[in-house]
């Protein structure tokens, strides 16, 4: 361990200075000049994940890059519920995919599924595409589901962690997020739920009867998220993982009844 690196990280306010120093030293791979550059970026406030180039998620290392949202561990709950909910050979669509962490976790755990991710940001899609291709999953540029209309009524599970910070609260976020992540990846509109409403509207079209949309939210927004699901004709349930600090709404499109199918 390089004590000088630990001391610089600690002085810059890094709580886990030893662990961070070990990760930076590993990322520099013996290049002293490279290590100095990485430490300087971290000390200047850049997220550790973009400095080392990856984020831990569901046991995987997801490649990340400056300018793209860093996947959070709490979002593992969305991936875990999708992995459990998707039927064998089914289709999972990840809307607002960012670096592709959810789709990567799903594709890694369930190679039987077709996993398709989408994001409006071409930089995120380029990054996610490189991560997802070796896992047999794909990624495309799309404003919510605009490029996915051909899947309407066929999708088993929609996963999503859309932006959900109320616009007025972005200024209160930690500097790492506020200064280093794109506003478009954070801003959920005046009440925080604008993008959640959009993805739930899209989900009501994309899902097959009985399919579910799994939407990350916050404790502050969970009632709004659930009502948005009900407004789109979906049945809403709430799931939590206290350890991850995660809360999600699971929104189900009603299954067809036998009288529906005999009428069809
Ligand atoms: C909070 S980040 C989450 C990224 C990823 N789901 C994750 O958990 O790491 C939200 C993402 O939504 C994308 N986004 C914002 N507005 C969008 C829109 N209208 N259509 C599609 N994606 C959008 C952003 O580019 C960003 O990558």
């Amino acid at each position: 361990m390089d004590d000088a690196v630990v001391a610089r990280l600690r002085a810059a306010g890094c709580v886990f200075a030893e662990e961070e120093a070990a990760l930076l030293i590993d990322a520099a791979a013996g290049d002293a000049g490279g290590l100095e550059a990485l430490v300087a970026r971290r000390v200047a406030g850049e997220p550790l994940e973009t400095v080392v180039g990856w984020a831990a998620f569901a046991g995987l290392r997801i490649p990340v890059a400056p300018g793209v949202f860093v996947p959070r561990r709490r979002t593992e709950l969305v991936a875990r519920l999708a992995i459990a909910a998707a039927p064998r050979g089914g289709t999972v669509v990840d809307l607002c995919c960012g670096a592709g962490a959810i789709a990567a976790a799903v594709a890694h755990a369930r190679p039987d599924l077709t996993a398709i991710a989408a994001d409006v940001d071409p930089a995120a899609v380029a990054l996610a595409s490189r991560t997802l291709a070796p896992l047999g999953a794909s990624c495309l540029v799309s404003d919510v589901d605009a490029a996915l209309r051909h899947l309407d009524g066929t999708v088993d599970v929609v996963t999503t962690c859309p932006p959900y910070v109320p616009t007025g609260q972005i200024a209160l976020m930690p500097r790492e997020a506020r200064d280093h992540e794109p506003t478009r990846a954070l801003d959920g509109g005046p009440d925080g739920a604008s993008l959640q409403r959009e993805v739930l509207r899209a989900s009501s079209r994309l899902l097959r009867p009985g399919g579910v949309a799994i939407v990350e939210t916050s404790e502050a927004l969970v009632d709004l998220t659930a009502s948005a699901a009900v407004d789109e004709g979906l049945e809403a349930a709430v799931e939590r993982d206290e350890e991850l600090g995660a809360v999600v709404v699971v929104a189900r499109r009603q299954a067809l009844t036998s009288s529906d199918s005999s009428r069809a």
Side-chain angles (χ1 to χ4, degrees):
M1 178 64 61
D2 185 325
D3 291 342
V5 172
V6 174
R8 284 172 69 194
L9 293 171
R10 186 161 294 122
C14 300
V15 178
F16 301 105
E18 275 90 0
E19 289 86 340
E20 293 205 8
L23 289 168
L24 292 169
I25 289 165
D26 189 48
D31 171 359
L35 176 61
E36 174 51 35
L38 296 181
V39 173
R41 285 168 61 190
R42 181 62 185 134
V43 165
E46 190 174 330
L48 176 68
E49 291 85 351
T50 55
V51 176
V52 299
W54 56 273
F57 188 89
L60 304 175
R61 283 187 175 194
I62 304 296
V64 296
V68 175
F69 183 86
V70 175
R72 311 296 205 260
R73 294 287 314 278
R74 62 173 171 268
T75 306
E76 290 179 10
L77 177 59
V78 174
R80 196 197 309 150
L81 292 171
I83 288 163
R88 181 139 206 90
T91 299
V92 176
V93 165
D94 183 31
L95 298 177
C96 301
C97 70
I102 299 171
V106 168
H108 182 261
R110 292 283 309 274
D112 60 295
L113 299 174
T114 299
I116 304 162
D119 197 286
V120 75
D121 177 4
V125 171
L127 184 65
S129 297
R130 287 194 294 275
T131 301
L132 294 174
L135 295 166
S138 58
C139 189
L140 46 83
V141 176
S142 178
D143 187 350
V144 186
D145 71 334
L148 296 167
R149 296 295 174 96
H150 60 289
L151 295 176
D152 278 3
T154 68
V155 173
D156 297 286
V157 179
V158 172
T159 56
T160 184
C161 169
Y164 59 84
V165 181
T167 308
Q169 291 180 22
I170 291 176
L172 310 177
M173 293 185 77
R175 260 189 59 203
E176 280 184 20
R178 157 166 66 85
D179 293 351
H180 292 278
E181 292 183 308
T183 305
R184 186 164 56 181
L186 306 172
D187 190 350
D191 66 359
S194 300
L195 263 292
Q196 292 180 339
R197 290 189 190 91
E198 280 192 43
V199 294
L200 284 161
R201 193 164 311 127
S203 299
S204 69
R205 274 196 311 270
L206 287 167
L207 290 174
R208 64 160 172 81
V212 291
I214 303 171
V215 184
E216 181 169 310
T217 188
S218 64
E219 288 297 347
L221 282 193
V222 63
D223 291 343
L224 275 183
T225 316
S227 323
V230 171
D231 289 347
E232 295 303 331
L234 304 168
E235 289 167 5
V238 177
E239 296 275 353
R240 290 182 171 82
D241 182 318
E242 306 290 343
E243 209 173 303
L244 290 174
V247 52
V248 306
V249 167
V250 179
R252 183 174 298 277
R253 184 172 168 199
Q254 276 186 347
L256 291 177
T257 62
S258 50
S259 57
D260 290 331
S261 32
S262 60
R263 272 199 300 272

